[in-house]
Amino acid sequence: MERRQEGMAKINDATNSFFNYTSGRWLYNEHLRLSERRLYFNINELCRLAAKSVGLPRTDIVLVTKIAEGGSYRIFEATFRDGLKVIARLPYPCTIPRKYGVASEVATMEFLRIHGIPIPKILDWSSSASNQLGSEYIIMERVSGRELADTWHTMTFKERMAVVEKIVDVERLLFGIQFPASGSLFFKESLDPDVKSVDMPEYNSLKDVGRFCIGPSTEYLWWYQKRNELAANRGPWKSSEEVLKAVGEREILWLRRFGEKRYPREPFYREFYGRQKVDPQVQIHHLLDYLKVAPHLVPKAEQLNVPTIRHPDLSPSNILISDSGDITGIIDWQHTTVLPIFLQAKIPKHFQNYGDDDSENFRRPELAEDFANMTSSHKEVEMERYRRRQVHYFYLGYTSDLNKAHFHAMGKYNLVLRNQLYDTAGRPWEGDNTSLQAQLIKTMAQWSEIASPEDNPPVRYSPVEVEECLDRDAKQNSVDEQMQQVRDFIGINIDGLVLNKEFKSARERARLIKNELAEGADTEEERREFDELWPFQDHEEID
């Protein structure tokens, strides 16, 4: 997110930054990304709502600024004459799910605040764009503190260790909350009458909990690419088996209704399918195999099936801390879902260091013995490695002490196999008929790690099928790694986004790497094909 953009908006100017994304540039298909994020709304009404939320007149607002733009929201700050500040979050037109996304995020934040999680107080909200503002919105208090991301890389050893302990302690509170089902949190009155829900039981000490219920999942993939139109089981789910089956059934419904033969979304996969369009019926067959396996993925131990809530993106940019290092607020609870703990148990991606031998073997991090004699550039690399090892080590260490339920679930190797298959089955089909079958094959190879001795594998593949699929899967994974290396070299994320100040240099790096890779073509025909398939340029989007 780009920081703070000062200045009052020109209300009727369609090019105004208040209505448009200005925090970065896209290397390709930029016109589409900007259009998706363009939101015209009534600025005067936003000021009125912000003032009303704190009981002050609109004339007391002295400044409104756009302070950030994330993946789903544009965020504004209103400053009042007495120094009070409030935050307003407006979702982009492309943000999904509509209506239930805002409703669930607000309910989740309020529910967790009742349970002692440091979260900003909601002052006003609307999950409908049919209002004077012209947009859904959330208005909340401005909590003190700054993003952990601002100091994360410059903290001392002890400061970082203390913050990780506090993060794990917040997770301890989250893991300790009991839920009657899996799904997403809502206020009872915010769901339509025909939508299934399971009421939250009232606790003796927390009477307000009775206002809440578990409703359908607001996780992104349940609403992506017309999945909102499917008669799918979005939850709430009363059992782990229901959760596991639901994603496979959803994808089958989508493929049968919308699936058409297509080329893979990753253009360099095409050669693995004979440069022919890929048939969705093949993926349906793999998903039917997954549904046969799904009941066996449910852990036998009941404590591994407990519905558990986690923050969907517990990153340093979503954690606010005070100057003394206390957590003052955790933000961005969009898409939060309650799931069985065996599907939730993992180190947050911003704190894990998998792939490093020391981290995976839980060795105490130490700087290299020759650190003092390294060049400044090598010291920088070594310090980053040391920091990543520290965070991984401390997160696991504090979790083993403070959040034993999570640590116990993470320690089960066979849960990784279950999670990988569940995650792969739930991915939208984009012309890849290999990844799910490959994960099924790998699961069958480790069947004794998952199932009871008396359970026979419900699906089998011939040696030829296994060899061909795993070979194709390895090639696809190699392409994925190479494409990520290219993105890293160019300096863009998965969508081609780059900071404004880096755009010109990123575009030049993209030109250089394209020319360099094109030199590997043996014929003029291969060179033309490479130029046509190069993904980091404007192209038609099938999805």
Side-chain angles (χ1 to χ4, degrees), residues 113-161:
R113 242 173 40 86
I114 291 171
H115 285 80
I117 308 298
I119 290 175
K121 182 180 179 181
I122 303 295
L123 303 173
D124 189 18
W125 63 283
S126 173
S127 59
S128 170
S130 299
N131 52 35
Q132 292 299 310
L133 179 63
S135 173
E136 302 173 64
Y137 65 87
I138 301 174
I139 297 176
M140 65 183 76
E141 67 176 346
R142 175 74 156 95
V143 299
S144 61
R146 55 181 174 172
E147 289 183 8
L148 176 59
D150 293 342
T151 57
W152 187 236
H153 294 274
T154 57
M155 284 180 158
T156 66
F157 180 95
K158 287 185 177 180
E159 288 172 339
R160 192 175 294 122
M161 184 168 63

Side-chain angles (χ1 to χ4, degrees), residues 294-313:
H296 301 274
L297 300 179
V298 179
K300 297 294 188 290
E302 196 52 46
Q303 66 266 31
L304 295 176
N305 292 286
V306 173
T308 304
I309 195 166
R310 289 199 80 180
H311 191 287
D313 181 24

Side-chain angles (χ1 to χ4, degrees), residues 235-298:
W237 304 291
K238 295 300 291 285
S239 70
S240 295
E241 184 172 338
E242 251 197 298
V243 174
L244 293 168
K245 284 183 173 180
V247 294
E249 291 165 349
R250 177 194 72 208
E251 292 307 300
I252 289 172
L253 285 172
W254 188 90
L255 286 166
R256 285 176 173 164
R257 183 168 172 183
F258 300 111
E260 296 180 356
K261 289 184 178 180
R262 58 164 292 172
Y263 292 112
R265 180 168 185 169
E266 171 48 68
F268 293 117
Y269 283 3
R270 291 190 186 188
E271 65 173 295
F272 311 141
Y273 298 92
R275 293 179 170 79
Q276 302 296 311
K277 288 188 175 181
V278 184
D279 190 346
Q281 295 301 316
V282 175
Q283 182 72 354
I284 289 175
H285 175 74
H286 298 329
L287 285 162
L288 290 170
D289 281 350
Y290 165 77
L291 291 180
K292 295 175 186 175
V293 175
H296 301 274
L297 300 179
V298 179

